[in-house]
Amino acid sequence: MPRVPDEVFRAPKGVHDVLPPESGTWATLVGRFADRAARSGYGLIVGPVFEHVEVFRRVGEHTDVVSKEMYEFEDKGGRALALRPEGTASVVRAYVQHRPTPPWKVWYVAPNFRYERAQKGRYRQHWQLGAEVLGVDDPAVDVEVIALLDGFYRDLGLSGVTLALNSMGDAQSRPGYVSALRAYLLDHASSLGSEFRERVEANPMRVLDTKVPDWQDVVGRAPQLTEHLSEPAREHFEQVQEGLQALKISYELAPRLVRGFDYYTRTTFEFQSDALDAAQNALGGGGRYDGLAEEMGGPATPGIGFGAGIERLVLALDAASSAPTTRRLDAFVINGLGDAGSVATTVLVSELREEGLGADRAYGGRSVPAQWKAADRSGARYGVMLGRDEAARDAVAVKDLETGEQVEVPENGLATWLSDRRELGSEVAR
Ligand code: HAM
């Protein structure tokens, strides 16, 4: 076979492997999110990683994610497909296809693909924890969805997180606002160059969250959507705020928060972390998309949800040195009986695992000192030694790998002995 360049056997630019021990944090985060979602009545949805490209066109033909960053391809049957750049479109497509009885409350953990300029906190494959609710117009569900994500972050002890809240208005309020905004921006466009004018003409809302310094002044003084809300949209927004206040969830009104997809209506929100670089400080965000199901050929159905990036969350946790506790091995079993002890080691490790304990061992007839080294490296709480003297008394020697303290425990009482000590410290920060 011809030799291929070394980089072929490296992960492509912008994607990465998540390996232990970092992946232990991931497992904990997913588990905690799953638990919270289940407690709020959400079921897991597992969807495809690719869809017909039209599914994603519906979420924003004019957005960067859809028009510039999508991984599109044709399959061998000539179908135009795309890797999922985000989760909402797939969930709504599944809703339209299967017509579950609303309210339909689902959560997911899934990879998304965007051909981005790769940098810290911005990748070409990223993972999101997300939740979506279809079929409920009630502002109580906006509050529930925001509270779900807020509670998840709160549990993790993250500080420096701000919730930005906005309303994008509804079908009645949006057109009037967009023309007022366009007129204002074009009035002030003369000194701001042709790119500004082109963007405003295509979609003036897309200019609102610009990071271009020269545009800030004009954009900062632009009319705000929340001043142009229809009466029902204003009332809905007020009720969402009342609910958040009742739950003591603090937020900041962010009239220039437009978010990156065309489907948003009414409530939008974003949790931002000051531990992340300003250009990608969004930990997670979402909002309502009351017209999307209908656009995909389904019945008119309101919807709301969020997506929360896992990589950015891990970055924020690392910056605060507050990675969540991960499961730790209770015991590392050391065979001090040579070849004759190999099967006894297999049996003991298996018994401990069957009792619900975390247990591991070394393989391949390693020396006793090498096995103790492996025990230290494993992060286990105790080293359990099958030794000749102890075996004569049907016992094992147990060493606390942190303090070095050693005791003898009857072999048939070992699982109970280890279990009794679990609550006291079997979970530690990695
Ligand atoms: P999004 O704001 O595009 O929204 O992404 C949600 C979160 O995913 C972001 O806040 C960020 O944490 C993470 N994220 C996005 N792009 C990247 C990237 N290139 N690298 C690393 N992390 C990233 C959505 O995707 C909507 N589907 C959210 C939603 C659900 N709206 C309603 N329902």
Side-chain angles (χ1 to χ4, degrees):
M1 256 199 207
R3 203 177 134 58
V4 293
D6 286 348
E7 62 265 26
V8 169
F9 298 118
R10 300 182 70 82
K13 188 174 159 75
V15 306
H16 50 263
D17 303 302
V18 183
L19 308 176
E22 187 194 0
S23 53
T25 304
W26 280 55
T28 305
L29 294 176
V30 174
R32 293 218 189 154
F33 187 82
D35 187 49
R36 264 205 174 259
R39 280 191 278 133
S40 303
Y42 292 67
L44 174 67
I45 178 168
V46 182
V49 159
F50 56 84
E51 298 270 359
H52 291 117
V53 74
E54 284 308 319
V55 170
F56 301 120
R57 292 260 154 76
R58 290 288 182 279
V59 311
E61 204 125 28
H62 303 296
T63 64
D64 283 357
V65 172
V66 173
S67 68
K68 297 189 194 150
E69 298 169 359
M70 215 146 61
Y71 282 86
E72 296 182 44
F73 62 100
E74 198 179 278
D75 75 2
K76 293 186 198 310
R79 295 171 196 88
L81 303 173
L83 295 184
R84 166 173 61 202
E86 62 100 52
T88 311
S90 288
V91 171
V92 175
R93 193 271 308 143
Y95 174 82
V96 168
Q97 180 176 341
H98 304 287
R99 305 285 168 101
T101 310
W104 196 50
K105 308 207 308 187
V106 292
W107 73 273
Y108 49 85
V109 51
N112 301 285
F113 307 87
R114 301 178 187 177
Y115 193 79
E116 304 240 34
R117 222 157 44 79
Q119 56 199 290
K120 189 173 169 199
R122 191 175 291 281
Y123 309 106
R124 293 188 176 166
Q125 173 178 323
H126 74 274
W127 285 76
Q128 284 182 23
L129 290 161
E132 313 284 349
V133 182
L134 279 118
V136 192
D137 198 29
D138 190 331
V141 87
D142 304 39
V143 175
E144 175 183 294
V145 159
I146 295 172
L148 175 59
L149 190 52
D150 175 75
F152 173 60
Y153 290 145
R154 199 161 19 82
D155 273 356
L156 294 169
L158 269 183
S159 56
V161 176
T162 312
L163 167 60
L165 185 73
N166 193 19
S167 172
M168 304 281 288
D170 53 16
Q172 285 95 60
S173 36
R174 189 87 65 86
Y177 171 69
V178 170
S179 33
L181 179 64
R182 183 179 280 120
Y184 162 86
L185 292 172
L186 289 178
D187 253 8
H188 294 78
S190 47
S191 59
L192 297 182
S194 58
E195 195 194 334
F196 181 80
R197 180 172 285 279
E198 279 159 27
R199 285 232 233 149
V200 169
E201 270 159 9
N203 183 354
M205 305 258 294
R206 290 260 151 262
V207 179
L208 283 183
D209 61 351
T210 180
K211 303 254 180 335
V212 179
D214 287 353
W215 301 357
Q216 297 290 339
D217 190 40
V218 164
V219 170
R221 283 181 287 113
Q224 299 187 351
L225 217 168
T226 37
E227 290 160 3
H228 287 74
L229 295 181
S230 68
E231 197 45 32
R234 197 188 52 73
E235 223 170 85
H236 185 97
F237 194 39
E238 268 170 18
Q239 287 172 15
V240 171
Q241 294 183 59
E242 262 170 43
L244 292 175
Q245 286 159 18
L247 295 184
K248 302 196 169 41
I249 297 177
S250 29
Y251 59 85
E252 284 174 11
L253 291 178
R256 287 164 63 186
L257 177 75
V258 285
R259 309 236 341 110
F261 298 103
D262 288 345
Y263 51 60
Y264 287 115
T265 55
R266 299 196 280 180
T267 313
T268 49
F269 58 94
E270 207 164 83
F271 286 85
Q272 297 160 347
S273 163
D274 59 22
L276 299 172
D277 296 342
Q280 46 265 333
N281 69 350
L283 269 183
R288 280 205 162 269
Y289 44 87
D290 293 338
L292 191 55
E294 206 173 1
E295 269 191 52
M296 289 198 195
T301 311
I304 181 165
F306 63 76
I310 300 184
E311 289 86 351
R312 287 190 193 174
L313 178 54
V314 171
L315 283 174
L317 289 166
D318 278 352
S321 305
S322 62
T325 56
T326 54
R327 167 110 196 213
R328 182 186 188 185
L329 287 175
D330 299 288
F332 195 96
V333 178
I334 285 147
N335 173 18
L337 303 171
D339 287 350
S342 178
V343 171
T345 307
T346 302
V347 170
L348 181 56
V349 167
S350 165
E351 279 171 2
L352 295 177
R353 290 174 181 164
E354 290 299 318
E355 288 294 331
L357 292 154
D360 206 356
R361 59 172 296 179
Y363 306 96
R366 315 265 308 276
S367 72
V368 170
Q371 292 183 64
W372 278 113
K373 255 195 207 136
D376 279 331
R377 254 200 321 270
S378 76
R381 183 143 185 241
Y382 295 103
V384 173
M385 167 86 162
L386 288 175
R388 235 170 277 285
D389 294 350
E390 291 84 1
R393 296 189 289 272
D394 290 328
V396 290
V398 180
K399 182 171 154 191
D400 185 317
L401 291 172
E402 263 154 43
T403 64
E405 211 177 298
Q406 196 160 321
V407 290
E408 192 169 301
V409 178
E411 195 177 338
N412 63 8
L414 177 65
T416 314
W417 190 93
L418 288 169
S419 301
D420 287 349
R421 278 148 189 84
R422 283 216 82 184
E423 285 72 30
L424 297 176
S426 64
E427 290 209 330
V428 292
R430 90 188 144 80

